[in-house]
Amino acid sequence: MYQYDQYDQAMVDARVEEFRDQCRRRLEGKLTEDQFKPLRLMNGLYLQLHAYMLRVAIPYGTLSGAQMHALADIADKYDKGYAHFTTRQNVQYNWIKLEEAGDILADLANVEMHAIQTSGNCIRNISSDHFAGAAGDERVDPRPYAELLRQWSSFHPEFSYLPRKFKIAVIASDKDRAAMRLHDIGINIVRNDAGELGAAFYVGGGMGRTPMIAPLIRDFVPLDQLVTYSEACLRVYNRHGRRDNKYKARIKILVHEIGAEEYTRQVEEEFAHLLEQGIEPPLAELERIKPYFAAPEFASGLTDRADRSDPDFGLWIDRNCQPHKAPGYVSAVISLKPVGGIPGDASAEQMHLMADLAREYSFDECRVMHTQNIVLPHVEIGRLYELWQKLDAAGLGAPNLDQIGDIIACPGLDYCSLANARSIPVAQKISERFAASGKGEALGELKLKISGCINACGHHHAGHVGILGVDRKGVENYQLLLGGSEAEDVSLAKITGRGFDEAGIIAAVETVADVYLEKRHDGERFLDTYRRIGMDSFKEALYD
């Protein structure tokens, strides 16, 4: 993984001291909240319902054991003993005291971490494939390119105050494991007919109030022009994006209103101008970055079979372990979704354990998934059983990857000042209901996503089954959506009809599952069945 040089460390250390001073002046009353707000947001500090929340950047989701240990220590020292992993591969703390915020940033800086640009109208944390460097289907590890873009976008003076927040994802395979086309910019590293690597740019995707799928605006950008083309995309947005209406300020609205063809024309024009300016980093910089992401020294002659005599272990392998490019290895997913648990939450004790397991079993590396789980990317098949035993004993061994119990959920009204309804209790009760009924076993792949408001931090638009919490005359109400996907078969879920109360939405999800079990063909996922039979059969069961 990337390691700081003296410039990285100096920049982060300087930001820590700058923010310490800003916090001190706020506490002394020398800064008003209005003056302080943009400063704290650019350092990842939100003011939530009950306390400050701090969001820590985890670039492209990659963490070392030492960094995970540090995050656990922060949870114990400054929070209530736990942390929350998010859909942008970041981590959040929900109970932060303003007077301690500078100390937290200093502790992060000691392990080459920060909270810079995790909020505000700027380029946020750049996400990527959580199986990068391990997946057999990738053309190349996408993380060096994500790292190059991270360095370009950090403290970029022209893009520090964009019309609205801006999110970029980078992948390098036909299979999309990062919701790439639901980002402001989605980049897929591809090969052209000559076998050369380049970048396909998708621009104008996103969820929230007006969900949109990003159109392809250029199918091949040479890699020595990657930053220049990215800058051209941002410049056109920064020039024309709405600043008078925050609900229409995202780049997806601009691309929709002027059309992808006109947006592309303007980008190409800006791109030609920027090529003359010579703003692209030297190719040597990309080559400097690449060795940090070199594959570890995989052992040879390893077994490719695990002893599956324990059926619970066999089920975990089938569901939570993914094929690896190196013989004798898999990528093992640690579920943060126990039955009845809070999706994405981990205690400090569990985080320390995951750090130790990363060091012992996965070359001291782990990844945060955008589905709010953790991956150990490089695990020997012959050591899986002992790993699973330790995970299971710690409540981290749920065999539910991409199952109905693997729910994505935002913090909702329990924490967030923007939320209209609670997400966490709904997720917990759905998880418990399907575990008790045993139907989860029969359902197979069914991705359920819950948001507590229209901002869609729980990605409900991209769920096979999505739930959106709304305020209906002062009462929490839940809309049900069907048919979404964040993968390479990307689609946006549609609302079934009128909403439900809490008990009703939990029953409605079970009704939808029952329709699927009745109507599916052999081998069909829920999403396949929905696309074949349409909405009507589900609506009839839900409302008639």
Side-chain angles (χ1 to χ4, degrees), residues 336-351:
L336 301 185
K337 319 285 181 63
V339 175
I342 299 175
D345 274 17
S347 69
E349 183 179 5
Q350 289 175 324
M351 293 163 71

Side-chain angles (χ1 to χ4, degrees), residues 130-348:
H130 39 254
F131 295 134
D137 63 346
E138 69 181 10
R139 287 172 280 273
V140 66
D141 189 332
R143 293 175 300 164
Y145 308 97
E147 172 59 27
L148 183 68
L149 291 170
R150 183 196 70 81
Q151 294 189 21
W152 158 74
S153 62
S154 295
F155 301 114
H156 196 302
E158 190 173 347
F159 305 140
S160 294
Y161 293 95
L162 292 166
R164 198 71 174 86
K165 59 186 176 181
F166 204 91
K167 302 175 181 179
I168 300 174
V170 185
I171 66 172
S173 67
D174 292 334
K175 190 169 181 61
D176 184 358
R177 291 175 285 261
M180 183 266 295
R181 291 189 65 189
L182 295 171
H183 281 72
D184 298 286
I185 293 179
I187 296 172
N188 194 355
I189 307 299
V190 297
R191 291 191 185 276
N192 63 13
D193 293 339
E196 300 165 325
L197 284 172
F201 270 73
Y202 298 81
V203 181
M207 288 179 266
R209 183 176 299 269
T210 311
M212 293 184 185
I213 297 168
L216 177 67
I217 70 159
R218 202 175 209 243
D219 60 4
F220 192 86
V221 175
L223 289 180
D224 60 357
Q225 298 172 354
L226 177 68
V227 167
T228 304
Y229 202 81
S230 300
E231 182 133 348
C233 291
L234 264 295
R235 276 195 161 195
V236 173
Y237 168 55
N238 202 24
R239 186 178 302 144
H240 299 300
R242 297 278 295 271
R243 284 182 163 84
D244 61 327
N245 185 336
K246 70 177 182 179
Y247 302 117
K248 296 184 178 182
R250 298 291 294 270
I251 192 173
K252 62 188 177 183
I253 303 298
L254 174 65
V255 174
H256 174 74
E257 289 188 344
I258 69 174
E261 185 176 344
E262 173 60 18
Y263 174 77
T264 302
R265 186 195 67 78
Q266 293 192 34
V267 169
E268 292 292 332
E269 186 178 87
E270 186 65 35
F271 179 52
H273 167 70
L274 289 173
L275 285 175
E276 296 177 355
Q277 308 304 306
I279 68 166
E280 189 75 24
L283 199 56
E285 176 60 15
L286 180 60
E287 296 306 315
R288 181 189 73 84
I289 290 170
K290 283 182 179 179
Y292 289 108
F293 299 93
E297 294 185 11
F298 297 122
S300 58
L302 299 176
T303 181
D304 61 356
R305 295 180 181 274
D307 181 353
R308 301 167 62 97
S309 55
D310 184 331
D312 292 334
F313 171 57
L315 181 64
W316 181 78
I317 289 180
D318 290 340
R319 291 200 177 153
N320 286 43
C321 293
Q322 299 294 306
H324 198 286
K325 64 171 61 176
Y329 287 85
V330 295
S331 295
V333 175
I334 301 173
S335 174
L336 301 185
K337 319 285 181 63
V339 175
I342 299 175
D345 274 17
S347 69

Side-chain angles (χ1 to χ4, degrees), residues 406-423:
D406 185 18
I407 300 169
I408 287 179
C410 70
L413 195 54
D414 287 305
Y415 296 99
C416 182
S417 56
L418 300 176
N420 296 314
R422 294 171 297 164
S423 302

